[in-house]
Amino acid sequence: MNIDEIAKMAGVSRTTVSRYLNGGYVGVEKKERIGEVIRKTGYRPSAQAQTLRTKKTGQIGVILPKINSDSISEMVEGISAELSAEGYFLLLANTENDERAELNYFDIFNRNKVDGIILIGTVVTPRHREVFSKLSVPFVVAAQQVSGVSCVYFDDYGAAYALTELLLEKGKVPGYIGVREDDAAAGRARRRGFLAALAEHGTEFDPSYGETALFSMQSGYEQAAELFSRHADIDSLFCATDQIAAGALLCLKGMGRRVPDDVRVVGVGDGMISRVTSPTLTSAHLYYNECGKKAARILLEHIGGDAVVQEIRLGFQIVERASTGME
């Protein structure tokens, strides 16, 4: 089956069928006839031929740091919902937090001329910026603020500030388990928000009351054990992610420390795990799905020719649960 046979069966010209397949204007009656023939025959145009005609592949590259993350899954779900509705297919590239792999995927997607790229960012280095400047396809960064680049990011500072104020309503000796600070959002911004809230309340923070964890429950458990072995007087604990907080809760339970009576604990993200921990976890809800959708919308605008750089910051909502005394 080819385009000439479709035209003959539909009783229209070859040019009309070509316009139909490429999204051009076709009258209602002719469009219905062509559509009916295509449905009956199961005809599918050559992807290679369409790419040559339209200069588009219908593919979007999505580069993500890890696949087994609730927050990233929600962002990808949002991206997919927006792009699938416009007929695009996603090519997912999981880097396992390897910067070299991340940069390599940019090169692969750029050379293979996908129609656009979305990076779910963690650490953005000078090398990233160099790669950004050389891309020949539109791109957007999600979950990190990158100046001069279209991006959708979270108010990590504000969320951490608000959570810390909640801890200080009853807590007098705060502890902190964060992540690497070259991650500008989860690392640097959340720590800055935590410290700013302490300063506002006149509370000094001794760095020995802090630890740095990986993005995992196991690491949260280990760093909580290390932290409380040094400072058993901690009565309020800020954790940079829900996964870290979940590990800390398990550690405290094993130590015989009651939450929230002895120690109040908070996390960031409000993922599914925050609802199933014991006790349930107070957290800052970040709008991951909406982040993915907005990033996809901006990318579609760029693909359509709009070159205006957009930097969008999303808000947050504090969700209080049992780990801070909410019944």
Side-chain angles (χ1 to χ4, degrees):
M1 182 63 64
N2 57 40
I3 193 170
D4 293 310
E5 292 171 307
I6 295 293
K8 183 176 181 180
M9 293 176 68
V12 299
S13 69
R14 187 183 192 281
T15 301
T16 301
V17 176
S18 180
R19 281 204 306 272
Y20 174 93
L21 294 174
N22 292 310
Y25 174 77
V26 177
V28 175
E29 183 184 347
K30 291 181 179 179
K31 182 184 291 186
E32 289 178 351
R33 295 210 303 266
I34 296 169
E36 182 63 22
V37 171
I38 288 174
R39 281 190 293 275
K40 285 183 177 179
T41 62
Y43 172 76
R44 298 189 69 177
S46 162
Q48 185 176 18
Q50 278 198 315
T51 298
L52 290 172
R53 286 194 302 271
T54 65
K55 308 299 183 184
K56 292 185 177 181
T57 64
Q59 298 174 339
I60 302 295
V62 180
I63 303 173
L64 46 93
K66 55 181 177 177
I67 205 90
N68 59 336
S69 162
D70 289 344
S71 59
I72 290 170
S73 295
E74 283 192 50
M75 281 188 271
V76 171
E77 184 180 332
I79 292 168
S80 179
E82 291 295 315
L83 295 179
S84 296
E86 297 297 326
Y88 286 95
F89 295 93
L90 303 188
L91 301 176
L92 300 182
N94 178 28
T95 69
E96 294 294 342
N97 283 303
D98 184 330
E99 179 189 329
R100 289 173 300 178
E102 195 166 87
L103 297 173
N104 188 45
Y105 277 123
F106 268 111
D107 181 58
I108 291 170
F109 286 147
N110 195 48
R111 283 189 289 107
N112 286 277
K113 298 300 180 186
V114 294
D115 294 334
I117 300 171
I118 295 177
L119 167 67
I120 299 178
T122 53
V123 178
V124 178
T125 68
R127 179 71 181 123
H128 281 82
R129 287 190 170 276
E130 183 182 343
V131 169
F132 294 163
S133 69
K134 295 178 180 178
L135 289 176
S136 60
V137 297
F139 75 101
V140 176
V141 177
Q144 288 285 348
Q145 182 182 16
V146 184
S147 60
V149 169
S150 284
C151 54
V152 184
Y153 61 100
F154 306 109
D155 185 3
D156 294 281
Y157 174 95
Y161 189 101
L163 284 167
T164 305
E165 284 204 309
L166 180 63
L167 288 175
L168 293 175
E169 288 178 2
K170 293 183 179 179
K172 302 298 182 184
V173 186
Y176 183 89
I177 304 179
V179 296
R180 51 190 288 195
E181 290 201 27
D182 53 355
D183 182 325
R188 225 162 36 245
R190 293 177 192 177
R191 183 177 175 82
R192 283 177 50 240
F194 169 77
L195 293 175
L198 294 187
E200 181 67 23
H201 286 260
T203 302
E204 292 188 18
F205 183 67
D206 180 343
S208 72
Y209 280 72
E211 287 288 347
T212 300
L214 302 175
F215 288 83
S216 71
M217 187 186 304
Q218 178 65 31
S219 187
Y221 184 102
E222 293 168 354
Q223 297 311 313
E226 181 70 24
L227 184 59
F228 280 88
S229 70
R230 290 199 309 270
H231 299 294
D233 57 334
I234 292 173
D235 62 10
S236 51
L237 180 64
F238 181 101
C239 298
T241 74
D242 288 346
Q243 290 282 347
I244 292 171
L249 287 173
L250 283 174
C251 177
L252 289 168
K253 185 175 182 179
M255 290 178 168
R257 302 293 296 275
R258 298 169 301 163
V259 178
D261 297 331
D262 300 327
V263 185
R264 305 174 93 207
V265 180
V266 299
V268 179
D270 188 35
M272 181 59 67
I273 196 169
S274 65
R275 299 164 178 79
V276 299
T277 55
S278 179
T280 54
L281 178 66
T282 290
S283 186
H285 180 83
L286 302 181
Y287 298 94
Y288 294 116
N289 189 274
E290 184 63 20
C291 177
K293 287 182 177 180
K294 285 187 179 293
R297 289 175 201 147
I298 294 172
L299 185 65
L300 289 171
E301 291 174 14
H302 288 345
I303 291 171
D306 183 356
V308 176
V309 171
Q310 300 182 51
E311 296 183 31
I312 297 177
R313 185 178 70 185
L314 301 179
F316 62 89
Q317 179 184 358
I318 301 300
V319 182
E320 294 188 57
R321 297 193 179 93
S323 70
T324 54
M326 179 64 69
E327 296 296 334

